[in-house]
Amino acid sequence: MDEARETLMYESEGAWREVDAYFVDTLVPEDPALIGARESGQRTTMPQAEVAPNQGKLLAMLCQIAGATRVLEFGTLAGYSTVWLARAVGVEGRVTSLELEEHNAAIARVNLDRAGVADRVDVLVGPAAETAQRLIEDGTEPYDFVFIDADKPSNPAYLKASLALTRPGSVIVIDNVVRNGGVTDPGSPDDRVQGVRAVLAEIARDARLDATALQTVGSKGWDGFTVVRRTG
Ligand code: SAM
């Protein structure tokens, strides 16, 4: 990032945080289970990598708007987004969440239990591309909603797997597609940026997919997400 951008971000971040805190206080009450899940992120391998509360609520609302009862998540961490998704699908719903690290999965399972949703969530441990391939080979019933939020260089592989595990009408959300503006740099040496650019190009090429992307500022800095709808 160039120096001018960095200064602007540094000066703006406090205000972004304040506005997020106001929105969350006003509209997104968290119960002790959500607070516990969010705070336990500190004990995972990627502290503070969970979505913000207002982003978690957005995911839950997108699920509900889509009428989703079967959700697939790439990247569990401490299960903060997973709790939002599991509550959104209701008692009859299912969430499958894929996580590389057993350490994180163990923390997530405790959080899911405390949130009262453990019986509707499967946290599957291992490299998500391999786990997803197993789900495909097992002929898993299609998912209605997918949240891709694991290692960013693998985004194209996760999209491909998601297409094998969804149906027309399913919704796919991909997080962290802005990366402090880095996404606009075709020559970026950052393989996470290249993972985002590659998956966006793939989405644009696929006639079955309709999509938009939004940049956001807030307690998680300057980032954004893509929402994809399968039309065919
Ligand atoms: N979705 C979570 C939330 O909002 O609460 C945050 C997920 S965090 C950004 C990314 C997670 O992906 C980490 O827990 C990390 O261990 C996991 N991860 C990284 N590489 C992975 C891989 N190859 N397969 C599965 N999970 C992976």
Side-chain angles (χ1 to χ4, degrees), residues 24 28 30 33-41 50-57 73 76-86 108 111-112:
V24 170
V28 191
E30 290 179 294
L34 276 170
I35 294 169
R38 183 163 47 74
E39 292 180 348
S40 70
E50 69 283 338
V51 295
N54 43 348
Q55 294 169 335
K57 174 101 182 251
E73 177 177 60
T76 318
L77 197 65
Y80 181 71
S81 54
T82 324
V83 171
W84 279 106
L85 293 166
N111 289 326
L112 293 162

Side-chain angles (χ1 to χ4, degrees), residues 169-218:
S170 296
V171 173
I172 301 168
V173 175
I174 307 174
D175 202 10
N176 309 121
V177 299
V178 173
R179 316 217 62 89
N180 287 326
V183 70
T184 56
D185 179 4
S188 171
D190 183 337
D191 59 357
R192 294 165 302 180
V193 167
Q194 293 304 338
V196 170
R197 290 182 62 88
V199 80
L200 293 180
E202 203 51 58
I203 291 165
R205 262 196 302 270
D206 193 321
R208 295 168 297 174
L209 301 179
D210 198 17
T212 187
L214 289 176
Q215 53 183 332
T216 55
V217 293

Side-chain angles (χ1 to χ4, degrees), residues 98-180:
L98 314 185
E99 170 56 45
L100 180 64
E101 307 284 350
E102 178 54 50
H103 173 76
N104 298 345
I107 293 171
R109 289 192 187 103
V110 172
N111 289 326
L112 293 162
D113 197 34
R114 186 168 37 186
V117 294
D119 57 344
R120 65 186 89 148
V121 180
D122 298 305
V123 179
L124 306 181
V125 178
E130 290 175 22
T131 312
Q133 185 55 37
R134 267 204 311 281
L135 292 173
I136 295 165
E137 285 162 12
D138 290 350
T140 304
E141 196 185 321
Y143 292 95
D144 310 309
F145 188 95
V146 181
F147 180 44
I148 299 180
D149 188 25
D151 52 316
K152 311 307 165 184
S154 300
N155 275 346
Y158 297 155
L159 175 72
K160 190 166 178 223
S162 299
L163 291 174
L165 286 164
T166 52
R167 53 163 178 82
S170 296
V171 173
I172 301 168
V173 175
I174 307 174
D175 202 10
N176 309 121
V177 299
V178 173
R179 316 217 62 89
N180 287 326

